[in-house]
Amino acid sequence: MTSALSVAGAPVSASHGAVVVTMAGEADEEEWARFVDGQPDATGYHSWGWRRVFARAFGHESFYLLAKESGRVVGVLPLVFVKSALFGRSLTSMAFVNYGGVLTDSPDAAHQLVAEARHLAERLECPHVELRHLGRRFPELPCREHKVTMLLPLKSGMWEALDRKVRNQVRKAQKSELSAERGGAELLEDFYAVFARNMRDLGTPVYSRALFHQVLQEFPSRAAIHVVRRGVQPIAAALTFETGGRVEVPWASSIRDFNALCPNHLLYWHIIETAVERGCQLMDFGRSTPNEGTFKFKEQWGAQAVPLHWEYVLVKGGELPMIAAGNPKYRLMVEAWKRLPLSIASWIGPGIVSGIP
């Protein structure tokens, strides 16, 4: 594959002074990885493997922009192109996860990467580019700060550092003879049974099983599944993803019928305990809406809220996009979804949610 960037035959590789921006192809994977691995601000979602995950799980095409100066990589920007009959077209870094965006310490490269992303969006007929950053990168761009991620430093002796109420709820789960285990693909069916049920109960279309299968296959040493059981029945589960000394929980669920037994508390304690044993120094509880239920659950563990900055290049102006269950126009759809039989929700859900980046 050529590294010259083209869409529908239109060349879009660009040179801006000393910085040259091109489309990274398969031959550039090793060079991309070396750059990302050397950047302290890189997230796990800058890894090249996510390109294969989204292609295999959803069929989405990704466009990975590479900035070079004097032949040396100075910046990257991974973008996922989503084309949906229901929700339109979007170009997102990174779709379906919390982070991504521009990765560079060169202001010139940063602005050239964004300029090329805009040109790419125009060619793909996308109304906007969404850049998901931890910190504010481009003050001139409109930004949404509607979500936070919850971070907890990890160390030995975490049990004593927990709030007494949290410890009591973990003990309650243990006294209820719930058990927890960590594994890989062999636990996928248990994870998905819990995840699909919980998403239906929340009124949210569920991702396909293929997404999680591809994550586990692409990142066998970094992704893991944690399952809490009552007897043999899985009642809470999570998929974790490690980057360096950071462990993240991008997907977690429990079956609400068992909430009184505190399976979520045992699940997260098991993740924390395992992460400390594996040498992780930071736990990312994942994305939350401030002051909602999941936010308060994560806050009781001592996790601190860090605002996420989703910055937008609006190709044709207009309002910022808002495709989320919290959008009032989707309220009736959410309530109707909760009443669907689980088998039907699990069948039609993946085709819908794959179009929501």
Side-chain angles (χ1 to χ4, degrees):
M1 180 182 292
T2 178
S3 62
L5 207 167
S6 63
V7 178
V12 291
S13 63
S15 176
H16 302 271
V19 176
V20 178
V21 179
T22 61
M23 174 68 79
E26 297 299 331
D28 300 301
E29 178 178 355
E30 187 174 329
E31 191 173 28
W32 177 288
R34 281 199 302 269
F35 175 78
V36 169
D37 290 345
Q39 297 299 304
D41 294 332
T43 73
Y45 302 114
H46 284 103
S47 296
W48 185 277
W50 288 98
R51 177 176 180 148
R52 286 186 284 268
V53 167
F54 296 140
R56 293 169 180 167
F58 299 137
H60 294 324
E61 187 174 8
S62 293
F63 298 92
Y64 277 33
L65 301 181
L66 195 65
K68 290 187 175 183
E69 187 172 6
S70 302
R72 180 177 62 89
V73 177
V74 294
V76 299
L77 174 56
L79 294 155
V80 181
F81 174 47
V82 176
K83 181 169 59 175
S84 167
L86 287 175
F87 304 103
R89 297 173 174 231
S90 62
L91 196 60
T92 308
S93 184
M94 284 284 283
F96 310 107
V97 294
N98 298 334
Y99 315 122
V102 172
L103 180 63
T104 179
D105 56 7
S106 163
D108 187 32
H111 285 92
Q112 304 310 342
L113 285 165
V114 171
E116 289 310 311
R118 181 189 183 96
H119 295 156
L120 180 58
E122 290 173 346
R123 278 180 273 272
L124 293 170
E125 300 180 349
C126 296
H128 66 272
V129 180
E130 183 174 279
L131 304 170
R132 298 181 177 179
H133 292 129
L134 269 170
R136 194 79 157 100
R137 293 294 308 272
F138 302 97
E140 69 276 13
L141 295 180
C143 179
R144 293 180 68 205
E145 299 177 37
H146 61 304
K147 299 287 186 179
V148 299
T149 195
M150 306 290 288
L151 302 181
L152 176 68
L154 299 178
K155 58 184 179 181
S156 60
M158 285 297 296
W159 179 255
E160 290 74 16
L162 295 180
D163 180 81
R164 184 174 62 181
K165 182 179 178 181
V166 172
R167 294 201 302 267
N168 288 339
Q169 288 168 318
V170 174
R171 290 190 184 104
K172 181 177 182 179
Q174 293 169 333
K175 290 176 182 178
S176 300
E177 298 185 349
L178 303 187
S179 62
E181 63 181 306
R182 178 185 187 274
E186 74 280 3
L187 298 179
L188 177 56
E189 292 304 316
D190 291 328
F191 164 84
Y192 197 75
V194 175
F195 188 76
R197 166 73 182 276
N198 185 55
M199 291 298 103
R200 192 283 309 270
D201 291 348
L202 292 172
T204 302
V206 66
Y207 287 123
S208 69
R209 185 184 283 97
L211 170 63
F212 308 110
H213 170 74
Q214 291 299 331
V215 172
L216 292 166
Q217 184 177 63
E218 185 66 39
F219 303 104
S221 64
R222 298 171 62 183
I225 289 178
H226 301 252
V227 175
V228 170
R229 301 180 189 277
R230 187 188 190 197
V232 298
Q233 181 184 5
I235 61 174
L239 189 151
T240 58
F241 183 63
E242 292 183 14
T243 302
R246 182 189 191 114
V247 61
E248 183 184 354
V249 189
W251 298 289
S253 286
S254 64
I255 298 175
R256 61 180 61 184
D257 296 352
F258 300 97
N259 280 354
L261 302 180
C262 302
N264 260 337
H265 288 82
L266 182 58
L267 176 67
Y268 278 82
W269 170 242
H270 178 69
I271 293 170
I272 289 171
E273 192 174 33
T274 304
V276 171
E277 290 174 358
R278 290 174 58 83
C280 295
Q281 296 90 44
L282 186 69
M283 178 163 166
D284 185 336
F285 280 74
R287 190 166 77 211
S288 297
T289 301
N291 300 316
E292 290 194 352
T294 56
F295 174 91
K296 293 177 180 178
F297 171 82
K298 297 168 185 177
E299 192 176 41
Q300 67 181 319
W301 293 86
Q304 299 298 308
V306 177
L308 299 176
H309 298 79
W310 290 11
E311 299 177 300
Y312 294 87
V313 178
L314 300 177
V315 176
K316 297 182 179 179
E319 298 181 352
L320 296 181
M322 185 180 175
I323 303 175
N327 190 328
K329 73 178 183 178
Y330 299 125
R331 190 170 297 146
L332 290 177
M333 186 184 302
V334 168
E335 291 306 314
W337 197 270
K338 292 178 181 179
R339 295 191 289 272
L340 286 177
L342 180 58
S343 60
I344 295 177
S346 299
W347 177 48
I348 63 177
I352 296 172
V353 76
S354 65
I356 306 175

